[in-house]
Amino acid sequence: MTVGNAGHRRRQPSLAQLRAFAAVAEHLHFRDAASAIGMSQPALSGAVSALEETLGVTLLERTTRKVLLSPAGERLAVRAKAVLEEVGALMEEAEAVRAPFTGVLRLGVIPTVAPYLLPTVLRLVHERYPDLDLQVHEEQTASLLDGLTSGRLDLLLLAVPLGVPGVSELPLFDEDFVLVTPLDHWLGGREGIPREALRELNLLLLDEGHCLRDQALDICREAGRADVPATTTAAGLSTLVQLVAGGLGVTLLPRTAVKVETTRSSQLLTGYFAEPAPTRRIALAMRAGAARAAEYEELARALRDAMRDLPVRVLG
């Protein structure tokens, strides 16, 4: 007869308990955490309490006003996140092995790319990968990178370089910036505009957080301009272009956005810079070592072919 120690074996936490705790650790707010993972607030609170009982430690310090992590909670939150990331990687690996270009693909796209490239992306996926469940999330770069590294998103379509450890880039194309002006502007409709002209222009920018804003500022610095006073900003390119049409200043647009945005008003002209024109590079970005890396590389090749009709310089 063999006597085991099964009766003394500690219970294992469930994935639901770990997800609940990780969400509370991230948001430090039960309502926000419950909303983030699609769980009711009582169920989330119960899952965290059950995890505390299972582990035999207090993870949270609950007060009437806020939630704080206990010292043990601080340490174990890191472990919980790592466990959930590994489980996500396991599921991703299984999905990739089962069949390429099937299941869900969560694609994150920046706002200054989405309206102009998504028609091409969606048409390609519909025609070539009909079994792929493509889910699109439009967010700013910082949010997209957070979603990629946390596993909330699988693949990104955005401007590079990113310079983020653990993220691999699959370049698609380079595109020039053009100058959009009101009808009566002295640079309206001109070609061969020197970058130095940007030193004196009333340049309108997107709000903080948009990578296109940072790119425009970089272009100005390269032209010898120290700063651009942010007297007027906009949340999107459509609003920015309408401000230009109203005579408030000029702006820079990527070539892929010109056709869509400048046709909204008859009060605009487009000017082109002398070579080499200021440019931006658009790429797909994935987690380094992603289980579906071969699929993403094939998708990048297909996208390059599909984008040859756009006003861009396709790479590769």
Side-chain angles (χ1 to χ4, degrees):
M1 179 177 177
T2 302
V3 179
N5 62 352
H8 302 289
R9 192 175 297 148
R10 182 177 289 278
R11 286 181 298 161
Q12 298 289 314
S14 70
L15 288 176
Q17 291 169 357
L18 293 176
R19 286 194 187 96
F21 170 55
V24 174
E26 178 181 353
H27 295 278
L28 296 178
H29 194 287
F30 276 97
R31 185 179 67 245
D32 292 348
S35 175
I37 62 173
M39 181 182 281
S40 71
Q41 198 168 325
L44 178 125
S45 181
V48 174
S49 295
L51 179 62
E52 290 179 314
E53 183 179 346
T54 297
L55 298 177
V57 296
T58 299
L59 299 171
L60 304 176
E61 296 177 5
R62 301 166 177 84
T63 69
T64 55
R65 291 189 175 184
K66 58 184 176 180
V67 178
L68 297 174
L69 290 176
S70 69
E74 291 276 3
R75 293 175 59 182
L76 294 179
V78 177
R79 295 283 189 182
K81 182 179 179 182
V83 168
L84 293 171
E85 287 176 353
E86 285 301 314
V87 171
L90 181 147
M91 298 301 293
E92 185 178 316
E93 186 84 40
E95 189 171 331
V97 169
R98 187 167 60 249
F101 295 106
T102 62
V104 175
L105 174 59
R106 298 162 298 179
L107 176 68
V109 190
I110 55 174
T112 59
V113 160
Y116 321 114
L117 297 186
L118 277 180
T120 301
V121 174
L122 296 177
R123 184 165 55 249
L124 172 71
V125 170
H126 176 73
E127 293 174 357
R128 190 173 298 194
Y129 312 115
D131 296 324
L132 188 64
D133 180 8
L134 183 67
Q135 300 177 359
V136 177
H137 302 260
E138 184 185 56
E139 301 168 22
Q140 293 184 12
T141 300
S143 177
L144 291 180
L145 286 170
D146 179 69
L148 184 69
T149 55
S150 69
R152 178 174 60 85
L153 298 172
D154 303 309
L155 192 64
L156 308 182
L157 179 58
L158 73 178
V160 297
L162 301 168
V164 177
V167 175
S168 297
E169 300 169 8
L170 303 171
L172 299 176
F173 62 82
D174 291 336
E175 65 176 326
D176 293 342
F177 283 99
V178 300
L179 188 69
V180 179
T181 73
L183 286 179
D184 58 355
H185 197 276
W186 65 284
L187 289 175
R190 282 185 53 181
E191 294 190 10
I193 300 171
R195 292 196 197 196
E196 290 73 23
L198 291 169
R199 295 176 185 173
E200 307 301 329
L201 298 180
N202 181 24
L203 189 66
L204 303 179
L205 300 172
L206 291 174
D207 292 338
E208 294 276 359
H210 287 276
C211 64
L212 190 60
R213 174 193 176 92
D214 298 331
Q215 290 158 356
L217 291 172
D218 286 342
I219 292 167
C220 289
R221 280 190 283 269
E222 290 169 6
R225 182 168 181 169
D227 66 329
V228 179
T231 54
T232 301
T233 61
L237 290 183
S238 296
T239 302
L240 205 58
V241 169
Q242 292 306 313
L243 294 173
V244 173
L248 295 188
V250 303
T251 196
L252 295 170
L253 280 189
R255 281 290 300 272
T256 51
V258 171
K259 184 176 180 181
V260 172
E261 298 301 344
T262 59
T263 54
R264 300 179 193 272
S265 173
S266 61
Q267 304 301 306
L268 297 166
L269 289 173
T270 304
Y272 297 87
F273 289 95
E275 294 294 339
T279 65
R280 73 171 180 174
R281 176 164 292 184
I282 300 300
L284 292 177
M286 63 180 179
R287 289 183 294 277
R292 302 173 73 178
E295 284 180 65
Y296 301 155
E297 289 166 2
E298 181 181 332
L299 178 60
R301 287 191 291 270
L303 281 173
R304 292 185 194 111
D305 287 339
M307 290 173 174
R308 292 191 185 279
D309 292 334
L310 298 176
V312 301
R313 293 183 297 282
V314 174
L315 302 168

